Amino acid sequence: MKLIMSSASPFVRKVRVAAIETGQQGDIEEVPVATTPVKTADQVWAANPLGKIPALVLEDGRALYDSRVITRYLDARVAAGLYPEARLWDVLTLEATADGILEAAVLMVYEGRVRPEEMIYAPWVEAQWGKALGGVRAINDRMMDQLAGGLDMAQIAVGCALGYLDFRHPSRDWREPCPELAAWYAEFDRRPAMIATRP
């Protein structure tokens, strides 16, 4: 299998962490690309008609895309249990919350990186931060019990989301209003798979 990827992408990181945690990293060839929303790499277009990473090209040439599709595939491939049936809807909802945090945080980066400076709209950037922080606070205030217990995909997604906030938005403090989540993340971030995939 080939993973079309960029090590800075938090959605790629979710896939890479899942692959390591399920013992499949040796089955995946990583294919790094330089791509942006306004200048998409040819390899990305070839694998995903939406022009986004990650994309996982299977042995038969089919491509899977969207990080949640890829992680479900990797989980099913080895029956890893990252999506436990007894808690499936909670896991999927928490993963969606983490992905929503990432989407808002990535849009903030693109606003500063892709748009000309005179076109950057500060209220829009702040609105995206409000969405990201709202997701983080919701996890801290209402979902901490879902981060306990055996490893699942929701934990990986939340860990990657918080890591991305630190990576791309270090001047914004998500920890102060979310002490329980900050304590959880300090421990989770020490996992070898998280260390190995830090951008």
Side-chain angles (χ1 to χ4, degrees):
M1 299 181 289
K2 294 184 179 181
L3 180 65
I4 312 301
M5 52 82 73
S6 166
S7 60
S9 164
F11 295 103
V12 167
R13 189 182 189 194
K14 281 177 54 186
V15 171
R16 295 175 76 208
V17 171
I20 293 169
E21 293 285 4
T22 60
Q24 297 179 78
Q25 69 270 31
D27 298 336
I28 299 173
E29 175 189 348
E30 294 185 348
V31 181
V33 293
T35 191
T36 74
V38 295
K39 190 172 182 183
T40 303
D42 291 342
Q43 287 170 298
V44 178
W45 281 127
N48 181 352
L50 301 176
K52 296 180 177 183
I53 54 174
L56 183 68
V57 181
L58 306 180
E59 297 296 333
D60 63 6
R62 289 179 300 146
L64 305 179
Y65 46 85
D66 187 278
S67 63
R68 281 179 274 191
V69 172
I70 297 170
T71 56
R72 286 295 295 265
Y73 173 78
L74 293 176
D75 179 66
R77 185 172 182 258
V78 296
L82 293 180
Y83 292 93
E85 191 64 34
R87 298 186 296 108
L88 181 60
W89 302 114
D90 288 337
V91 170
L92 290 174
T93 300
L94 185 49
E95 183 182 11
T97 303
D99 281 2
I101 293 166
L102 284 178
E103 287 161 6
V106 167
L107 287 174
M108 291 171 66
V109 171
Y110 287 156
E111 185 76 3
R113 181 175 296 162
V114 177
R115 283 187 186 273
E117 187 175 348
E118 67 275 9
M119 294 179 67
I120 295 172
Y121 186 50
W124 189 86
V125 173
E126 292 308 311
Q128 296 308 312
W129 177 248
K131 292 176 183 181
L133 188 57
V136 172
R137 283 177 163 158
I139 295 170
N140 183 81
D141 296 345
R142 303 196 301 266
M143 304 178 190
M144 288 304 299
D145 61 319
Q146 296 178 40
L147 294 177
L151 181 70
D152 61 35
M153 197 58 221
Q155 294 176 18
I156 292 172
V158 170
C160 290
L162 299 176
Y164 188 75
L165 295 183
D166 286 348
F167 174 53
R168 291 297 193 199
H169 304 291
S171 65
R172 295 181 182 262
D173 183 14
W174 62 265
R175 287 175 173 81
E176 191 276 329
C178 303
E180 289 183 63
L181 185 57
W184 174 87
Y185 177 66
E187 185 66 28
F188 189 83
D189 194 43
R190 295 191 186 106
R191 294 182 75 91
M194 292 293 287
I195 293 170
T197 58
R198 283 182 186 147

